Amino acid sequence: MTATRIDGKAFAAKLRERVGASAAAFAEAAGRKPGLAVVLVGEDPASNVYVRSKGKATVAANMESFEHRLPADTSEADLLALVDQLNNDDAVDGILVQLPLPAHLDEQSIIASISPDKDVDGFHVINAGRLSVGQSGFVPCTPLGCMMLLADRLGDLSGLEAVVIGRSNIVGKPMAQLLLDANATVTIAHSRTKDLAGVVKRADIVVAAVGRPEMIGKDWLKDGATVIDVGINRLPPEPGADKGRLVGDVAFDEASEVAAAITPVPGGVGPMTIAVLLRNTLVAAHRNAGVAVPEGL
Ligand code: GUN
């Protein structure tokens, strides 16, 4: 079997287009564009790239982008004061504080200070709690994007065996919750799981979010599995190259011999994250304005 390549890049582009059209309609009706504030503390190069591309994508989707770049030695009090100002700014529908934060800042306290109704990352404990008990809130962007790709590919997930590898608050745990809500039978596996390969072999759906380059080979996969690879790992550079290749947690070529469908890296899950962030911001704008959230997003 040669697996179908799940084209997250194309899916994300279509989602961004729908969000952009809906944002324009919102602006027409509300007299203002949906607004997303992104806060970056320090100079982490990867974060810098993410923040720049979030800003561009926000503007391209007919939304207002507010970028706040603070020095690496910003105090917790100053950062909390900025979040408070954004919480109270009616032009701001969504607030994202880029992680990781410098070590002297406590991520949990900063996340807790964001209004849950503007927490478009879905990281606030209130939103984690809402997801856990089945209330509508904000769901973290990467797992929600994975669910969109799975629903598009498989339709109904009822009764399917899903194995999520990784238990982070940002991906693994919310992913498991979403799969459970979709009536899959869910296992969360992690670094201490015994016979990880054997557990993964049972899965109709594998979601890999471990951060280990090409850890999952074809021998781990059930014939016909659907594989969602959240990993983004850079291999050491080949002799003569200045950058190594980007690979996922799954060995793509060999896994493609066994799986029915698989997301590539890059071009799979990665592009979904920003598209869903824009979608969450659009939803926040509608909720904050007290108007019905459009269907089909
Ligand atoms: N750092 C890497 N990914 C993310 C994300 O989705 N949200 C935030 N806030 N920080 C990140």
Side-chain angles (χ1 to χ4, degrees):
M1 184 179 320
T2 300
T4 303
R5 189 174 165 281
I6 300 175
D7 191 345
K9 194 173 168 193
F11 192 101
K14 281 190 272 169
L15 175 57
R16 281 192 275 117
E17 215 165 277
R18 293 199 298 281
V19 168
S22 182
F26 176 89
E28 186 77 28
R32 68 171 186 86
K33 292 179 178 180
L36 172 64
V38 175
V39 181
L40 174 62
V41 185
E43 304 282 331
D44 180 67
S47 294
N48 232 317
V49 173
Y50 287 139
V51 166
R52 200 168 336 117
S53 49
K54 279 171 194 168
K56 275 196 206 157
T58 305
V59 171
N62 302 316
M63 300 189 193
E64 207 79 62
S65 168
F66 305 99
E67 250 178 59
H68 294 268
R69 289 167 182 270
L70 306 179
D73 62 355
T74 298
S75 69
E76 186 150 316
D78 284 351
L79 182 53
L80 290 170
L82 173 60
V83 172
D84 186 56
Q85 178 201 316
L86 298 171
N87 281 340
N88 290 299
D89 184 342
D90 289 340
V92 173
D93 295 294
I95 302 170
L96 179 147
V97 177
Q98 184 68 28
L99 304 179
L101 287 169
H104 69 283
L105 296 169
D106 179 41
E107 288 185 356
Q108 284 309 321
S109 341
I110 304 301
I111 292 167
S113 74
I114 298 171
S115 162
D117 298 330
K118 296 191 177 187
D119 169 39
V120 285
D121 260 330
F123 292 170
H124 194 290
V125 287
I126 293 279
N127 282 317
R130 284 169 174 159
L131 176 60
S132 177
V133 298
Q135 291 177 5
S136 68
F138 290 106
V139 175
C141 303
T142 301
L144 186 51
C146 294
M147 280 307 284
M148 289 177 179
L149 296 178
L150 283 170
D152 183 59
R153 170 78 205 160
L154 296 172
D156 185 10
L157 308 187
S158 280
L160 295 180
E161 284 272 356
V163 173
V164 178
I165 317 169
R167 53 177 156 177
S168 70
N169 291 334
I170 295 180
V171 181
K173 284 186 217 167
M175 188 73 225
Q177 207 80 57
L178 289 166
L179 287 162
L180 191 57
D181 286 347
N183 301 313
T185 301
V186 184
T187 302
I188 305 183
H190 46 79
S191 54
R192 306 283 178 91
T193 297
K194 284 186 189 150
D195 186 21
L196 182 56
V199 171
V200 173
K201 191 94 186 172
R202 297 202 303 259
D204 303 303
I205 296 169
V206 178
V207 180
V210 269
R212 297 256 231 109
E214 300 179 318
M215 181 180 81
I216 297 156
K218 68 173 174 187
D219 298 345
W220 292 37
L221 297 172
K222 177 173 166 177
D223 253 354
T226 300
V227 179
I228 304 290
D229 190 351
V230 184
I232 301 179
N233 312 290
R234 198 171 282 283
L235 293 178
E238 306 275 328
D242 53 301
K243 267 187 180 178
R245 255 185 334 121
L246 274 187
V247 296
D249 293 344
V250 181
F252 182 85
D253 288 342
E254 59 169 274
S256 297
E257 295 171 22
V258 178
I262 181 168
T263 58
V265 177
V269 173
M272 292 299 292
T273 302
I274 290 183
V276 175
L277 174 69
L278 301 174
R279 178 255 175 218
N280 282 357
T281 303
L282 181 73
V283 169
H286 284 78
R287 287 184 186 154
N288 294 340
V291 294
V293 176
E295 309 258 321
L297 292 168

